[in-house]
Amino acid sequence: LRIGWVGAQQHRGDQELIRDVIEHFADAVDWVFMGMCIDDLKPFVKEVHPFVSIAEYPAKMAELGLDIAIAPLEDNAFNRCKSNLRLLEYGALGWPVVCSDVYPYRTDDPPVLRCNTTSEWIEAIQQLIDNSTLRHELAQRLHDWVKSRYRLKNWLPAWAEALKR
């Protein structure tokens, strides 16, 4: 299976959170990273894809062909102010997600597996590795969640009404 992460340079701490998880599964899955990959993880990651322009970003992300996506996020003041954008991106692509149990990833109660400890991360990922039905079900539920709550066309009447005021 292909399990992956997408992110930028400011995610060193997020990657350090899951170092032991990446190493634990290194011989069982193909780890795929796009963007940053700290040196400590490189021996365990099969593919590291470079940053791309925003114009190329959606297509490049889709080309990763992940079976499972991860979204580790340190619990700090800066990250608590972030959005759930990464879950929206992963969900739009139809990937099941294992993520940190932090505020941005609780917004609107997305159908993801949330973790706090290394053992919880390992258990959640192993559960998805072992159960393809669950993996596909969570992927579909997250995809449907994104479509029903975050597509602009769903909110056009509200925006039109607000603009009239």
Side-chain angles (χ1 to χ4, degrees):
L1 292 176
R2 295 170 62 81
I3 303 179
W5 176 89
V6 176
Q9 295 292 26
Q10 66 269 27
H11 293 282
R12 170 174 283 287
D14 302 333
Q15 287 188 1
E16 289 171 349
L17 277 176
I18 56 159
R19 187 208 178 282
D20 293 341
V21 175
I22 304 296
E23 183 177 3
H24 177 86
F25 289 106
D27 294 330
V29 304
D30 290 340
W31 285 106
V32 179
F33 279 41
M34 182 174 138
M36 178 183 186
C37 184
I38 61 174
D39 289 340
D40 285 356
L41 296 181
K42 287 181 181 174
F44 311 113
V45 175
K46 181 175 183 177
E47 297 174 24
V48 178
H49 299 265
F51 291 104
V52 295
S53 72
I54 191 67
E56 298 171 284
Y57 180 77
K60 182 61 178 177
M61 193 173 175
E63 287 174 12
L64 297 177
L66 301 181
D67 297 295
I68 301 168
I70 61 169
L73 194 61
E74 287 182 288
D75 190 10
N76 59 40
F78 178 75
N79 286 341
R80 284 190 294 272
C81 295
K82 288 185 174 181
S83 73
N84 59 359
L85 177 61
R86 189 69 66 229
L87 300 187
L88 300 179
E89 292 174 339
Y90 290 161
L93 291 168
W95 297 336
V97 173
V98 179
C99 64
S100 295
D101 188 9
V102 295
Y103 172 75
Y105 296 157
R106 293 182 199 127
T107 304
D108 288 338
D109 197 27
V112 296
L113 300 180
R114 287 187 285 277
C115 309
N116 284 316
T117 66
T118 297
S119 62
E120 288 174 354
W121 275 91
I122 289 171
E123 182 181 325
I125 291 171
Q126 189 66 58
Q127 186 179 12
L128 291 178
I129 289 171
D130 292 343
N131 189 335
S132 63
T133 302
L134 176 62
R135 198 168 56 244
H136 295 294
E137 177 185 301
L138 282 177
Q140 187 61 54
R141 286 178 48 212
L142 184 58
H143 184 73
D144 292 345
W145 178 83
V146 170
K147 283 175 34 180
S148 69
R149 296 172 193 262
Y150 290 94
R151 286 187 357 190
L152 182 58
K153 77 177 193 175
N154 297 348
W155 300 100
L156 287 177
W159 276 99
E161 186 62 34
L163 292 172
K164 289 179 186 176
R165 297 180 185 168

